[in-house]
């Protein structure tokens, strides 16, 4: 019998705070959702920029690694061509002098 008297009062006193909680939780959950989406957008931008600059950095590192062997190859290939060119010039000058000597002998 005591329960029949107390239970309606307990429900009345619980219904008002429960209604207020449900009404305010809508606003709180909306604010939490907005905060969560903004955080995800920030992290997505951060990850995207990190990936982009990491790609640029790796490309520049690759260029630096590939540059050294190509530079050394260019130096040695020009050095070899330089001595070959000098030998050709020397032979051309010698044959030119020989040609002049032969022409001078026949004149």
């Amino acid at each position: 019998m005591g329960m029949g008297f107390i239970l309606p009062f307990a429900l009345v006193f619980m219904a008002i705070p429960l209604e207020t909680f449900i009404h305010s939780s809508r606003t709180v959950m909306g604010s939490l959702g907005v905060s969560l989406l903004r955080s995800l957008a920030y992290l997505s931008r951060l990850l995207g920029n990190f990936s982009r600059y990491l790609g640029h950095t790796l490309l520049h590192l690759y260029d630096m690694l590939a540059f050294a062997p190509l530079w050394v190859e260019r130096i040695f290939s020009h050095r070899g061509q330089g001595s070959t060119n000098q030998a050709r010039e020397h032979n051309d000058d010698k044959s030119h002098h020989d040609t002049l000597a032969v022409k001078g002998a026949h004149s």
Side-chain angles (χ1 to χ4, degrees), residues 88-107:
R88 284 183 190 158
E89 288 175 5
H90 180 66
N91 288 338
D92 288 344
D93 289 341
K94 187 176 176 183
S95 65
H96 182 67
H97 290 296
D98 291 341
T99 306
L100 290 177
V102 171
K103 284 184 181 179
H106 292 295
S107 316

Side-chain angles (χ1 to χ4, degrees), residues 10-32:
L11 289 175
V12 168
F13 289 124
M14 285 296 295
I16 293 171
L18 184 62
E19 181 184 355
T20 305
F21 173 74
I22 290 173
H23 184 66
S24 64
S25 68
R26 179 177 160 197
T27 306
V28 171
M29 293 300 263
S31 296
L32 287 175

Side-chain angles (χ1 to χ4, degrees), residues 2-100:
M3 286 290 278
F5 182 71
I6 297 174
L7 191 59
F9 288 112
L11 289 175
V12 168
F13 289 124
M14 285 296 295
I16 293 171
L18 184 62
E19 181 184 355
T20 305
F21 173 74
I22 290 173
H23 184 66
S24 64
S25 68
R26 179 177 160 197
T27 306
V28 171
M29 293 300 263
S31 296
L32 287 175
V34 167
S35 298
L36 178 68
L37 288 175
R38 284 183 180 172
S39 298
L40 285 174
Y42 175 76
L43 290 174
S44 296
R45 272 194 316 271
L46 185 68
L47 182 64
N49 285 329
F50 177 75
S51 299
R52 179 174 52 168
Y53 290 118
L54 179 65
H56 287 289
T57 302
L58 291 175
L59 180 66
H60 292 304
L61 285 175
Y62 175 76
D63 287 343
M64 287 179 11
L65 289 174
F67 171 75
L70 294 173
W71 182 57
V72 170
E73 178 185 8
R74 182 176 176 205
I75 288 173
F76 284 119
S77 68
H78 283 306
R79 182 179 294 169
Q81 287 178 356
S83 63
T84 305
N85 288 339
Q86 288 175 357
R88 284 183 190 158
E89 288 175 5
H90 180 66
N91 288 338
D92 288 344
D93 289 341
K94 187 176 176 183
S95 65
H96 182 67
H97 290 296
D98 291 341
T99 306
L100 290 177

